[in-house]
Amino acid sequence: MSTTDTGKDVGTETGTQGAGAAGESEAAKEREAAAQLSTAPSEEKLNVPSLGPLGWARWFWRQLTSMRVALILLFLLSLGAIPGSVIPQTPVDALKVEKFREDHTTLAPLYDKLQLFDVYTSVWFSAIYILLFVSLIGCIVPRTWQFVGQLRSRPPRAPRRLDRMPVYTTWRTEAAPDQVLGAARSLLRRRRFRTHQEQDDGGPSRGAVASEKGYLREAGNLAFHIALIVLLLAFASGQLFKSEGRKLIVQGDSFSNVLTQYDDFQSGSLFTSDMLDPFSFRLKDFHATYETSGPNKGTARDYRAEITHTEGGTSEGTESTIKVNHPLQVGSSKVYLIANGYAPVVSVKDGKGNLAYRGPVPFLQQDNNQTSSGVVKVPDYVDAKGRKDQVGFQGFFVPDFQPDSGTMFSQSPLLKNPAMFLTAYHGNLGVDGGPAQNVYQLDTDNMEKFKEKDGSPFAKKLTPGDTMTLPNGAGSLEFEGVKEWANFQVSHQVGNGWALGGALAAIAGLAGSLFIQRRRVWVRAYAGDDGRTVVEMAALGRSESARLPDELASLATDMQDAAPVASETSADAADEAATDEADASKTPADPAQAPEGAGK
């Protein structure tokens, strides 16, 4: 009983499932039929192949060598150069960078992370630079091959319908078609067109001359891009092989172009000391003139350094003058005059009365009137008891001191009434060890001021000839006189000539690509129905130009010297003569032979 019931249940269930499957298939058919009747877009999946590594490399190369990306990179390079001209750069002036760090404690760490103190050798600027370089090369190479192919190919064939060209003219002439085409080819060659004479498909009596001109437009475009590459290479070589150093020279002193002679020196990553040009010079005299009256009183009129220089291993000196913006050039190096000032001549005696130091001490300019600050350091010194000690003097030098002015600042840059204000220290100068020091600054952390009897700091005003005697027999300093000093910058720049040539070539190429027009001219000649030669001329420019109609008119005018326009009167006379000849052939010559009734 149970077995029978189970079988019935199974059969019932199987039937139910079959009915459900049939219903689902019918519903699917209905949906398919409705989809066929619908106008909605189908949701078919596109079988798009994925890009492999080679495909992605090709896509990246095409994007990099496109004109759009090249312009974007050039724009980014221009933007990247702005911080280099606004923010102090370490290779140019390290002192300004240090002062900027001291004055901007919040911005300086951020600028260091972004490499804004050394923009032109930073990673991001170099990346833009290299990508632009590669983009230009990838753009120029295929265009160069394409341009060479155009130069080697013939001008394009004349179109079948010249009257559809934007500039067109035609006339009829008595000259033969071959004569017209020969004259056209000679004329176009004289006008520096590349020409090719061809035979039209209409038959041997139809011919055309195809010509083209203006290839310098594309040549100028290529020259502009090549010039950009030359400029980039010149800039790169200038950064990699450059050197720049400064040297302060007191009147009467000399300088040799070796690394140990420089006060500060910067160079490119590929520079070596062997690249320094062998020369030396001595500062004989320095002249500075200023305005002495008027609203520009105290303004510099002229700076001039008189020097004697020698080149290589020669001992014969050459007299030269270095002025602002008029450097001395020796080999590939240029010596610029960039600053000047005064150097008081002092002599220092120790506590035993022995001469511990004597010579000029350069003081650095602080304002336009040459108010200067400086220090005198005497490391080899003994006090009155014979103990080793070190002394230093810090203060100001004023070339034109006026007591009635109420200030210690100089009233003019001229050496009228020089005075020096010094404060004396003793202790450890810090020159025997530790970090490097600025020779124009005094580190007083480990030094003490000399004291007056009342306990105040020991300081004194000195004029030439005065002596500053230190307390407790510690020695003295004598102000003997004043000399002038000049600061020179020696620059070794590679690639300047290439950069100038690239700039000139870029300007010439850009002018050619803008003002030269690529155009084509066709001349066709064939015999007309009336027996005269039909001449057609047409021109097509690769770009819009208002001069194209004038040029074609000029060519047509010159062509008519060899193929003049046939006059209508001569054509009518020829037609009448042909008509008379035809009538004469139809009229009998002898009246007796005329048919009957002809005389009636």
Side-chain angles (χ1 to χ4, degrees):
M1 185 72 177
S2 59
T3 305
T4 306
D5 294 339
T6 303
K8 291 181 179 180
D9 294 339
V10 171
T12 304
E13 183 178 358
T14 304
T16 303
Q17 290 179 353
E24 289 180 357
S25 61
E26 291 179 358
K29 292 180 180 179
E30 291 178 357
R31 286 196 300 269
E32 184 177 357
Q36 292 177 354
L37 296 176
S38 175
T39 59
S42 60
E43 298 182 355
E44 296 180 359
K45 293 184 179 180
L46 297 178
N47 187 16
V48 180
S50 60
L51 290 177
L54 183 59
W56 280 110
R58 289 177 177 174
W59 178 86
F60 178 78
W61 177 254
R62 289 175 182 173
Q63 296 299 318
L64 181 60
T65 56
S66 64
M67 183 61 67
R68 177 182 59 185
V69 173
L71 292 176
I72 292 174
L73 291 173
L74 189 61
F75 178 70
L76 292 177
L77 195 70
S78 303
L79 287 180
I82 294 177
S85 60
V86 176
I87 301 173
Q89 299 295 294
T90 302
V92 178
D93 196 337
L95 295 178
K96 283 188 178 180
V97 174
E98 292 300 326
K99 189 175 184 306
F100 187 91
R101 286 193 174 100
E102 294 175 0
D103 297 339
H104 304 82
T105 56
T106 303
L107 284 177
L110 179 61
Y111 285 1
D112 281 325
K113 292 180 180 179
L114 297 177
Q115 298 178 313
L116 294 182
F117 290 123
D118 197 357
V119 169
Y120 301 110
T121 57
S122 61
V123 175
W124 55 270
F125 190 87
S126 301
I128 298 174
Y129 184 89
I130 294 173
L131 286 176
L132 178 61
F133 186 79
V134 174
S135 176
L136 287 175
I137 293 179
C139 179
I140 287 174
V141 171
R143 293 183 65 176
T144 301
W145 286 114
Q146 183 181 5
F147 180 63
V148 171
Q150 291 176 357
L151 290 178
R152 298 179 61 184
S153 63
R154 294 176 178 178
R157 293 177 59 88
R160 187 176 297 275
R161 295 286 303 274
L162 290 181
D163 55 348
R164 294 181 178 179
M165 293 294 103
V167 185
Y168 172 80
T169 185
T170 182
W171 72 91
R172 294 174 180 268
T173 182
E174 299 293 341
D178 292 341
Q179 181 182 353
V180 174
L181 295 178
R185 192 170 185 179
S186 299
L187 174 62
L188 291 171
R189 283 181 174 178
R190 288 198 303 269
R191 296 288 186 91
R192 297 187 299 276
F193 279 84
R194 292 176 62 244
T195 63
H196 174 65
Q197 186 171 346
E198 57 190 22
Q199 199 72 28
D200 277 0
D201 298 334
S205 61
R206 293 176 60 90
V209 173
S211 64
E212 192 168 9
K213 186 180 180 181
Y215 289 95
L216 288 179
R217 179 185 182 90
E218 183 64 21
N221 196 3
L222 291 175
F224 174 74
H225 287 82
I226 294 174
L228 288 182
I229 293 181
V230 172
L231 283 173
L232 292 176
L233 288 175
F235 179 77
S237 62
Q239 293 296 317
L240 294 174
F241 297 99
K242 73 173 184 178
S243 68
E244 186 176 276
R246 296 186 181 185
K247 177 63 177 180
L248 188 148
I249 304 175
V250 180
Q251 180 181 347
D253 291 347
S254 300
F255 166 79
S256 296
N257 191 28
V258 293
L259 290 178
T260 56
Q261 290 279 304
Y262 284 98
D263 294 332
D264 62 88
F265 187 84
Q266 297 90 27
S267 63
S269 57
L270 300 181
F271 175 83
T272 60
S273 59
D274 298 335
M275 298 179 183
L276 291 174
D277 295 305
F279 69 92
S280 62
F281 66 90
R282 183 175 70 90
L283 179 60
K284 294 175 54 181
D285 201 357
F286 185 86
H287 303 280
T289 57
Y290 305 90
E291 292 286 348
T292 57
S293 60
N296 295 325
K297 182 180 180 180
T299 304
R301 296 181 59 185
D302 184 36
Y303 294 126
R304 187 172 74 254
E306 305 290 344
I307 67 168
T308 302
H309 73 278
T310 59
E311 301 181 24
T314 62
S315 58
E316 296 181 0
T318 304
E319 305 290 334
S320 301
T321 301
I322 302 177
K323 295 184 178 182
V324 178
N325 297 328
H326 291 82
L328 170 70
Q329 183 165 1
V330 182
S332 59
S333 300
K334 290 184 177 181
V335 183
Y336 295 90
L337 175 63
I338 59 175
N340 69 291
Y342 294 102
V345 181
V346 299
S347 59
V348 180
K349 294 183 178 180
D350 58 16
K352 294 296 184 179
N354 299 322
L355 185 65
Y357 177 83
R358 185 178 185 277
V361 181
F363 276 51
L364 302 184
Q365 177 184 354
Q366 300 297 315
D367 59 20
N368 292 332
N369 286 332
Q370 290 287 355
T371 302
S372 308
S373 65
V375 297
V376 181
K377 298 180 181 181
V378 186
D380 298 327
Y381 190 85
V382 294
D383 59 13
K385 298 181 180 179
R387 293 174 299 187
K388 290 185 177 181
D389 198 2
Q390 295 178 345
V391 295
F393 301 86
Q394 185 177 30
F396 295 90
F397 172 77
V398 182
D400 186 12
F401 176 68
Q402 300 294 336
D404 299 336
S405 64
T407 178
M408 62 177 295
F409 293 99
S410 179
Q411 300 303 302
S412 74
L414 297 174
L415 196 65
K416 294 181 177 179
N417 187 23
M420 188 165 52
F421 302 85
L422 294 179
T423 302
Y425 296 81
H426 70 96
N428 183 10
L429 291 171
V431 296
D432 297 330
Q437 292 187 5
N438 190 334
V439 295
Y440 304 108
Q441 294 180 356
L442 185 65
D443 185 4
T444 59
D445 292 341
N446 298 317
M447 303 190 74
E448 295 181 2
K449 292 182 180 180
F450 283 96
K451 303 290 186 180
E452 295 278 5
K453 293 182 180 180
D454 57 359
S456 60
F458 181 76
K460 190 174 181 180
K461 170 194 167 222
L462 300 172
T463 59
D466 291 345
T467 300
M468 179 181 187
T469 303
L470 299 176
N472 303 322
S476 63
L477 179 145
E478 181 181 359
F479 183 12
E480 296 183 359
V482 181
K483 287 186 176 183
E484 292 188 89
W485 58 262
N487 199 3
F488 297 93
Q489 176 178 296
V490 182
S491 298
H492 175 83
Q493 193 73 32
V494 178
N496 286 342
W498 286 99
L500 177 60
L504 295 177
I507 295 174
L510 184 61
S513 63
L514 291 177
F515 298 108
I516 297 176
Q517 183 193 14
R518 183 99 172 263
R519 63 264 194 208
R520 296 167 180 170
V521 175
W522 296 278
V523 181
R524 175 175 287 143
Y526 59 92
D529 297 335
D530 55 357
R532 291 175 294 178
T533 300
V534 179
V535 182
E536 291 183 310
M537 294 185 69
L540 175 66
R542 297 289 297 271
S543 59
E544 295 294 333
S545 175
R547 296 177 298 176
L548 191 61
D550 296 336
E551 185 174 19
L552 186 66
S554 176
L555 289 171
T557 301
D558 292 344
M559 272 287 299
Q560 291 175 6
D561 293 339
V565 179
S567 62
E568 295 296 333
T569 56
S570 61
D572 295 340
D575 293 340
E576 291 177 359
T579 303
D580 294 341
E581 184 178 355
D583 293 341
S585 63
K586 296 178 181 178
T587 303
D590 187 0
Q593 298 178 0
E596 295 182 0
K600 297 179 182 179

